[in-house]
Amino acid sequence: MATNSIKDNLTKSEIISELLLSIKGDVKKEYIHLIVEGVDDIRFFKSRVSPHVYIYESFSGKEGVFDILKNFKKEDRILGICDRDYADIPTDLNIFFYDFSCLEIMLISNEDVFKSCSDTFYYGSLNSNELLLKILNELKWLGIFRRLSFQKKFAIKFNGLSITNAFNKSTLSLNISNLITQINSRNDNFCEKNHDILNDIEKQSRNILSKNELLYLSQGHDFLNLFKCFCGENFKPEVFFCSLLCCYQKNHFKSTNLYSSLKQYQSEKNLNNILN
């Protein structure tokens, strides 16, 4: 096989059937099967894994990756890679996580990569590191709320939350009151009914966090949407993401925990055909 085989738009049953047939037919055990959350993950991995890797797009994001891997707990050649978000690392599944919270944050965490891209799209007075820290700190309150909702199973609906509407152009900051109003409107006035939770989030958000802590806390789409506020209306998050992918070279990937974990797994399982 000269290039990676991409399997997308398949249902759960189709993916499982494909995996069962492929594993059974791979008598020499030459091929690896990688399940990822979506198209962006395929874009990232297709040039970073060996030609002996089949890449499958999950039928349902992260939950789909977990669901599929639960059917193949004893099969070393079937792996999953997901955004970490706020999840614990499973010990019984062959699932690996991007560094920090997700793919986008792993990409922007590399100073050289982010500088190359931000210098192209951002024309303000902050240097790239100042800009990165400014955005991460502005997202701290929202990240704490997202994490708490996940940990406590509040099931808060954050979809559709507008970073743009909450952005104050004069102070270059997020208006938390605006975010609270938006969250209330989507969640039956959750904040109005839970002042103790809101106070706890406010208290936590006053803590000074390291850059790495902020990178674990922030979500990629929140970051890109707030970055757009600093760059102007013509900025397109999708174009910026593609620029990050183009700037992110093999040596950058080799410096990640994800790469080290995959290399270690490859060695322990005597596979030697996962990474390019």
Side-chain angles (χ1 to χ4, degrees):
M1 188 170 65
T3 59
N4 310 115
S5 178
I6 308 299
K7 310 283 187 176
D8 57 0
N9 298 315
L10 299 179
T11 65
K12 176 182 176 180
S13 59
E14 287 172 337
I15 293 173
I16 291 176
S17 295
E18 281 257 359
L19 290 169
L20 289 171
L21 286 172
S22 297
I23 290 295
K24 185 176 180 180
D26 185 11
V27 179
K28 295 182 180 180
K29 298 185 176 182
E30 294 179 284
Y31 297 105
I32 302 296
H33 305 269
L34 180 63
I35 322 298
V36 298
E37 290 189 38
V39 173
D40 286 344
D41 307 281
I42 291 175
R43 288 175 176 175
F44 178 77
F45 275 108
K46 66 181 181 180
S47 64
R48 293 174 173 86
V49 292
S50 84
H52 289 79
V53 176
Y54 288 86
I55 306 176
Y56 298 74
E57 179 187 359
S58 164
F59 65 94
S60 181
K62 179 189 290 185
E63 291 183 5
V65 176
F66 276 70
D67 206 3
I68 292 167
L69 266 293
K70 287 175 183 176
N71 292 274
F72 298 96
K73 289 184 178 181
K74 297 182 179 180
E75 182 49 68
D76 295 338
R77 290 177 289 150
I78 299 178
L79 316 175
I81 294 180
C82 298
D83 290 346
R84 180 183 298 274
D85 295 319
Y86 310 110
D88 294 324
I89 297 176
T91 56
D92 62 334
L93 300 176
N94 296 330
I95 290 181
F96 300 83
F97 290 111
Y98 292 111
D99 288 31
F100 306 111
S101 65
C102 60
L103 171 58
E104 293 92 338
I105 297 297
M106 186 179 81
L107 298 178
I108 66 102
S109 70
N110 185 282
E111 292 182 6
D112 292 337
V113 172
F114 182 68
K115 184 180 188 314
S116 295
C117 294
S118 64
D119 285 355
T120 301
F121 291 88
Y122 169 71
Y123 300 103
S125 60
L126 299 174
N127 65 43
S128 60
N129 190 54
E130 291 171 339
L131 178 61
L132 177 62
L133 289 174
K134 171 66 175 173
I135 293 174
L136 291 175
N137 275 293
E138 288 300 322
L139 292 172
K140 182 165 58 172
W141 183 92
L142 182 56
I144 290 169
F145 204 152
R146 286 184 181 276
R147 182 177 63 189
L148 192 64
S149 175
F150 175 85
Q151 292 172 339
K152 302 295 185 181
K153 296 180 171 57
F154 292 150
I156 297 295
K157 298 173 184 175
F158 292 101
N159 288 345
L161 203 66
S162 175
I163 295 290
T164 302
N165 288 344
F167 184 69
N168 186 318
K169 293 182 180 179
S170 298
T171 62
L172 300 179
S173 61
L174 284 178
N175 186 318
I176 302 303
S177 295
N178 182 286
L179 291 176
I180 290 172
T181 299
Q182 291 189 58
I183 292 169
N184 277 333
S185 69
R186 290 164 173 76
N187 297 277
D188 192 29
N189 284 320
F190 178 89
C191 298
E192 283 294 317
K193 298 173 181 177
N194 296 276
H195 286 289
D196 55 332
I197 293 172
L198 204 60
N199 289 336
D200 183 41
I201 295 169
E202 173 61 28
K203 182 179 178 180
Q204 289 188 51
S205 68
R206 293 193 211 108
N207 295 331
I208 297 174
L209 301 181
S210 68
K211 179 179 176 180
N212 277 8
E213 288 172 325
L214 292 168
L215 290 167
Y216 277 110
L217 190 63
S218 303
Q219 295 294 298
H221 54 276
D222 289 340
F223 185 95
L224 293 181
N225 286 328
L226 185 51
F227 187 82
K228 176 180 179 178
C229 295
F230 282 83
C231 295
E233 290 300 317
N234 293 327
F235 175 84
K236 298 184 184 305
E238 171 67 12
V239 175
F240 184 70
F241 176 76
C242 290
S243 298
L244 289 171
L245 285 180
C246 291
C247 289
Y248 202 84
Q249 301 300 311
K250 188 173 182 178
N251 63 302
H252 300 135
F253 185 38
K254 282 185 173 182
S255 69
T256 64
N257 293 328
L258 174 58
Y259 183 90
S260 298
S261 297
L262 289 170
K263 284 287 285 186
Q264 181 178 348
Y265 180 85
Q266 181 175 271
S267 177
E268 289 175 352
K269 303 300 182 180
N270 197 29
L271 296 174
N272 297 319
N273 53 0
I274 299 177
L275 298 167
N276 192 353

